[in-house]
Amino acid sequence: MADGASSSGYPGSEPVGPAPAVRPFLVTAGRVADTASGRTMPVETQVVATAAGLDALDRLSFEQHDIVAACRLPQSLAELAARLHLHLNVVRVLADDLRDAGLLAVYVPDFESTHDPSVLRRVIDGLRAIPDSRGVLRDTD
């Protein structure tokens, strides 16, 4: 086995690294992130658990439980996906399902306000005001 052959006798047949436990299309049963209206929810869409959602936590699937439990306070789909280490489209599909079941309240921001250049400038300025890992502020334009 000194020539790179694995214990199974085939070179490179050993796993390279840990594989994800469940593929995203299995979690969503192959559905994509389109909503009933035919449009995907923007990443900045805010979601928050309803009282019915919090009451139903023990009856939800693993991912649905995590989404509802994480949404005790409002947060965006992007924040939720990052926090739960789930694919953004998985979160979109499950959030839409949970909204349809009355377990999540979904607030889609107004298109005009999310594409207002002054809002984007304030976001950029806010990000630049966050110190990096060394405590140094980023350069400004």
Side-chain angles (χ1 to χ4, degrees):
M1 303 219 193
D3 63 353
S6 68
S7 61
S8 65
Y10 298 103
S13 63
E14 292 296 317
V16 176
V22 179
R23 304 297 289 170
F25 64 86
L26 292 175
V27 176
T28 63
R31 293 173 294 140
V32 294
D34 288 339
T35 63
S37 68
R39 295 179 14 202
T40 59
M41 288 189 275
V43 297
E44 65 271 13
T45 298
Q46 297 289 304
V47 291
V48 64
T50 63
L54 294 174
D55 289 341
L57 279 174
D58 60 340
R59 297 184 303 274
L60 298 174
S61 72
F62 179 75
E63 292 84 8
Q64 290 175 330
H65 174 277
D66 288 351
I67 289 172
V68 173
C71 289
R72 294 177 194 272
L73 295 174
Q75 58 190 300
S76 72
L77 292 177
E79 292 171 312
L80 194 55
R83 177 171 294 166
L84 299 178
H85 304 285
L86 290 171
H87 191 281
L88 179 60
N89 284 335
V90 169
V91 172
R92 282 178 168 148
V93 169
L94 295 179
D96 195 41
D97 292 347
L98 292 165
R99 178 190 60 192
D100 291 346
L103 306 178
L104 274 186
V106 174
Y107 302 97
V108 180
D110 177 42
F111 179 81
E112 295 301 321
S113 66
T114 60
H115 291 81
D116 179 357
S118 67
V119 172
L120 296 175
R121 174 50 60 192
R122 289 195 315 265
V123 169
I124 291 168
D125 292 344
L127 290 172
R128 285 189 175 136
I130 299 171
D132 67 10
S133 60
R134 298 169 296 171
V136 177
L137 292 177
R138 290 166 184 84
D139 291 330
T140 58
D141 290 335

